[in-house]
Amino acid sequence: MGLEIRFLGPFDVMANGEPVKLAGLRRAGVLARLALSAGRVVPADHLLADVWGHSTVRTAGKQLHIVVSKLRGLLQPYQGGEIIATVPGGYQLDLPRESVDAHLFTCLTRRARAARDEGEIATADGLFRRALALWRGNALEGMPGAWAQATCARLEEERLTALEDHIDLRLESGDHHAVVPVLTAHAEAYPLRERPRAQLMLAMYRASRPCEALEVYQETRRVMVGELGVEPGAVLQRIQQAVLRRDPALDLSSPAQRVTLTRAAVPHELPADTRAFTARTAEIAWLRRALTGAVPGRPAVAAVHGAGGVGKSALAVHAAHGVAGGFADGVLYLDLRAATAGRTPLTPYEALSRLLRSLGVDGAAVPPSLEEAAARYRALTLTRNLLVVLDDALDAGQVGPLVPAGPKCAAVITSRQVMASFDTTSRLDLTRLADAEATGLLARTVDPSRVAAEPAAAQRIVRLCNGLPLALRISAARLAGRPDRRLSALAAQLGDDTRRLDALEHADLSIRDNIAAGLQQLRAAPDAVHAFHLLGLMGTGTHTAAATSAVTGWPEPRAEAALDRLLDARLLERGGFRRYRMPELIRLYAREQAARHVPEPVRVTAARQAFHHHPAREHDPFVHHRGPADRAAALSRPLAVH
């Protein structure tokens, strides 16, 4: 799959089906501007004018050089070679134009029109559908700059023209009944655009609805005279007169024109399966049974929940690849972004809109309300044999409307929270890898011979990664990128609590970001966030409501409620009856955040309360001092803040 750059909606960069995180608007702007001219030279002064605008910063040229260097470092692992070439006077993005969705859209529509002109109607129909399905919203949504606005306007006009060309094709093929709702929505969205109004009148006339066709003309005339002071154009006037005369010219000229269009291309939207996937044998078997063993009359629904970084998405995608062949109508994949740092979860309507477009509904024909969109989705999936992967879900309210309706359909949902209220009995709580499985993942990703050469260091890396697949993937990526580096060197870096989270960052993968995404879900729960920070200062393995009450100064029921919110967000684990445990990597992050957000006097007081409530902490490695005051001060001392 490689690297893909997407304009037709919010600007995105994807690598092997996974989003690549771009830091800063200028990096995104430079890459987008280069992608607009992929394979061609963009002069440096054009980049500066478009991305830096009217900035008078003298160092803008140097900043551009730095931005390009950062982009090269970010993108090279996914593409190989120098993806951004320095050429006389500027830069060039060496990426196939078909890897940029805007260029792919142009290519597909050009091929569709050529196929139509050659009389290959079914081929043209499929190409138009593929092209229009690339759109995810307004082009370059959120990208600043006059160049972005001009590009957005140009691409939007190309989309509308392609949509209307496709509708002409469908009208010529006798598909007038099906295009009426598409055209109705399109005409309402663009009331001053005459072509879709003329197409709607023709479709309604052919669907034996001449009175409604004439109403479309009258409404169009009312709008145009009222807003522009002009009468409808000649084409609309001719169609109105032809409808009044019931002119045979409006009918399909011969039965030969009634071509049955092929079905839209069967969607296969799964991200690429990871080659390093290992272990999870029992979980894969369970998930495959859950997806293929539906209760008669109902779709199969399997929910996989677990802590961030435990491998829920990888498991769901791997299992879905294994069963995809059993779903004749294809596989849909949707990232719901509930736990993606810095991104807002999709609303149910946004998610439904994307699913409907994947099922062949043209963007303008997506119903305008959640209820109507959900009804359309149910109708489209009722008779299909479809698998839907709903990844990184927030809660049952978000995914409820997204489950397909058909009894031959199946859905797999991944989430951090347990969806106890969701109507399914197939739930899997995914846990960390055992040491042997984690070592196998490390060996498979790095090099079995390197792991065999340093077994003790490998075991220490596994232990310090807490058996978390994401942490292991990051460690493996760092080792794979440095074949000369010894495993013991990475183990030593991980063993330093002040450096461990730094070591667990590579390219767009970050343990910090993963934990931050879980904390982001608690924006509306300030008690839970405050308790999270203070628990990071406590070196104990487990926590109770009573101990948390002492540290926070809250009544015990309030402290317990905060602990339960952290448990739901997977920032704590069950540690026994009415006991909670904070995993070590999360504790390191919580301690960093406490240094940022909790005033020092509060940290010191909380640490003293923690010590007095847990005298057994004498042995804690963070509290290896002589007196109670020293121990409290040590507990309140922050780790390095990043």
Side-chain angles (χ1 to χ4, degrees), residues 296-608:
R298 298 178 58 186
V301 180
V304 180
H305 52 85
V310 81
K312 302 179 295 295
S313 299
L315 173 67
V317 168
H318 184 75
H321 274 287
V323 301
F327 292 89
D329 291 312
V331 184
L332 303 183
Y333 173 87
L334 189 59
D335 179 2
L336 295 168
R337 304 195 316 216
T340 303
R343 303 187 75 183
T344 304
L346 295 182
T347 65
Y349 179 75
E350 289 171 333
L352 276 171
S353 298
R354 296 188 183 195
L355 291 171
L356 287 170
R357 287 196 292 270
S358 293
L359 291 171
V361 177
D362 293 330
V366 173
S369 71
L370 174 62
E371 293 75 14
E372 292 172 305
R376 184 74 184 277
Y377 180 65
R378 288 193 299 272
L380 286 175
T381 59
L382 186 61
T383 59
R384 300 202 186 196
N385 179 213
L386 189 71
L387 173 61
V388 181
V389 179
L390 302 170
D391 194 15
D392 195 13
L394 179 64
D395 53 29
Q398 185 192 37
V399 299
L402 313 181
V403 174
K408 294 183 179 179
C409 292
V412 55
I413 304 163
T414 73
S415 64
R416 294 195 182 189
Q417 294 192 32
V418 180
M419 296 194 184
S421 63
F422 199 74
D423 186 19
T424 180
T425 57
S426 298
R427 295 189 184 90
L428 173 65
D429 186 9
L430 198 63
T431 57
R432 292 175 175 80
L433 293 172
D435 285 355
E437 295 174 332
T439 304
L441 173 59
L442 190 67
R444 187 168 180 177
T445 310
V446 182
D447 182 346
S449 63
R450 291 175 70 185
V451 171
E454 295 184 82
Q459 289 175 14
R460 190 176 184 211
I461 290 171
V462 164
R463 188 173 66 255
L464 291 169
C465 288
N466 295 155
L468 201 64
L470 175 59
L472 291 162
R473 282 178 58 202
I474 295 171
S475 298
R478 292 176 69 93
L479 290 167
R482 291 277 305 277
D484 59 329
R485 189 181 190 189
R486 293 179 59 81
L487 271 66
S488 56
L490 178 60
Q493 188 177 359
L494 290 170
D496 182 345
D497 288 334
T498 64
R499 302 171 64 201
R500 192 180 310 172
L501 295 181
D502 291 334
L504 292 176
E505 290 186 2
H506 181 77
D508 59 331
L509 301 176
S510 168
I511 287 293
R512 273 196 188 91
D513 287 350
N514 186 268
I515 301 170
L519 198 60
Q520 179 179 293
Q521 295 183 4
L522 297 174
R523 290 187 300 267
D527 277 6
V529 174
H530 186 62
F532 176 78
H533 293 155
L534 296 185
L535 293 179
L537 301 173
M538 300 170 66
T540 52
T542 59
H543 309 282
T544 63
T548 305
S549 171
V551 170
T552 58
W554 299 335
E556 194 168 316
R558 181 179 173 185
E560 187 168 25
L563 291 171
D564 284 337
R565 290 298 298 269
L566 291 170
L567 185 69
D568 290 341
R570 296 301 182 128
L571 296 171
L572 291 177
E573 299 173 344
R574 288 286 181 196
F577 178 66
R578 299 193 70 182
R579 300 185 72 84
Y580 305 80
R581 189 177 76 83
M582 180 175 279
E584 181 65 10
L585 294 176
I586 296 178
R587 190 180 73 84
L588 294 176
Y589 178 78
R591 197 173 178 197
E592 282 186 357
Q593 293 304 299
R596 285 179 180 271
H597 300 293
V598 180
E600 185 175 358
V602 177
R603 295 202 306 269
V604 172
T605 300
R608 285 177 177 151

Side-chain angles (χ1 to χ4, degrees), residues 39 132 138 152 173 295 311 345 360 486 521 539 588:
L132 292 165
N138 295 325
C152 175
S173 306
V295 175
R486 293 179 59 81
Q521 295 183 4
L588 294 176

Side-chain angles (χ1 to χ4, degrees), residues 54-316:
H54 299 293
S55 172
T56 57
V57 177
R58 294 182 179 180
T59 59
K62 184 177 181 180
Q63 291 178 16
L64 172 59
H65 178 75
I66 293 171
V67 166
V68 170
S69 178
K70 294 289 187 183
L71 287 171
R72 283 171 176 156
L74 178 67
L75 301 177
Q76 187 169 340
Y78 304 112
Q79 193 69 15
E82 189 173 67
I83 189 168
I84 301 178
T86 301
V87 295
Y91 299 94
Q92 177 174 307
L93 181 68
D94 288 330
L95 189 70
R97 290 175 71 80
E98 290 75 14
S99 296
V100 180
D101 65 353
H103 297 310
L104 178 59
F105 172 78
T106 301
C107 175
L108 290 171
T109 53
R110 184 170 58 248
R111 288 169 55 196
R113 292 180 181 112
R116 175 200 61 197
D117 294 344
E118 293 293 326
E120 298 174 359
I121 303 302
T123 300
D125 176 64
L127 289 167
F128 274 126
R129 289 180 187 273
R130 280 182 59 195
L132 292 165
L134 294 172
W135 284 79
R136 300 168 290 112
N138 295 325
L140 286 172
E141 191 173 301
M143 181 70 67
W147 76 271
Q149 294 174 14
T151 301
C152 175
R154 174 179 62 79
L155 290 171
E156 176 64 7
E157 181 58 34
E158 289 184 16
R159 182 187 75 83
L160 296 176
T161 302
L163 174 61
E164 291 159 8
D165 285 352
H166 185 215
I167 287 170
D168 272 346
L169 182 81
R170 296 174 68 180
L171 285 170
E172 291 166 9
S173 306
D175 204 17
H176 39 266
H177 289 285
V179 300
V180 167
V182 176
L183 280 167
T184 300
H186 183 36
E188 288 175 357
Y190 301 91
L192 299 178
R193 199 171 175 90
E194 292 194 40
R195 186 181 179 191
R197 297 273 174 157
Q199 290 173 322
L200 179 57
M201 290 180 67
L202 178 58
M204 285 182 164
Y205 180 81
R206 288 183 178 172
S208 301
R209 298 161 64 179
C211 294
E212 292 173 74
L214 293 171
E215 288 174 5
V216 169
Y217 178 82
Q218 293 301 330
E219 172 62 16
T220 304
R221 183 179 183 279
R222 184 190 66 78
V223 171
M224 295 187 71
V225 171
E227 296 195 18
L228 302 178
V230 298
E231 292 286 338
V235 173
L236 277 170
Q237 291 185 34
R238 283 199 300 270
I239 291 181
Q240 184 223 18
Q241 292 301 314
V243 170
L244 288 170
R245 295 193 307 269
R246 295 187 179 270
D247 192 333
L250 296 179
D251 298 326
L252 290 172
S253 60
S254 70
Q257 279 188 268
R258 300 177 183 272
V259 178
T260 301
L261 298 179
T262 57
R263 270 175 92 177
V266 174
H268 289 286
E269 299 181 344
L270 283 177
D273 199 3
T274 174
R275 291 176 296 176
F277 193 91
T278 189
R280 305 293 197 197
T281 305
E283 291 87 346
I284 292 169
W286 174 88
L287 189 50
R288 287 181 174 176
R289 286 195 304 270
L291 294 175
T292 56
V295 175
R298 298 178 58 186
V301 180
V304 180
H305 52 85
V310 81
K312 302 179 295 295
S313 299
L315 173 67

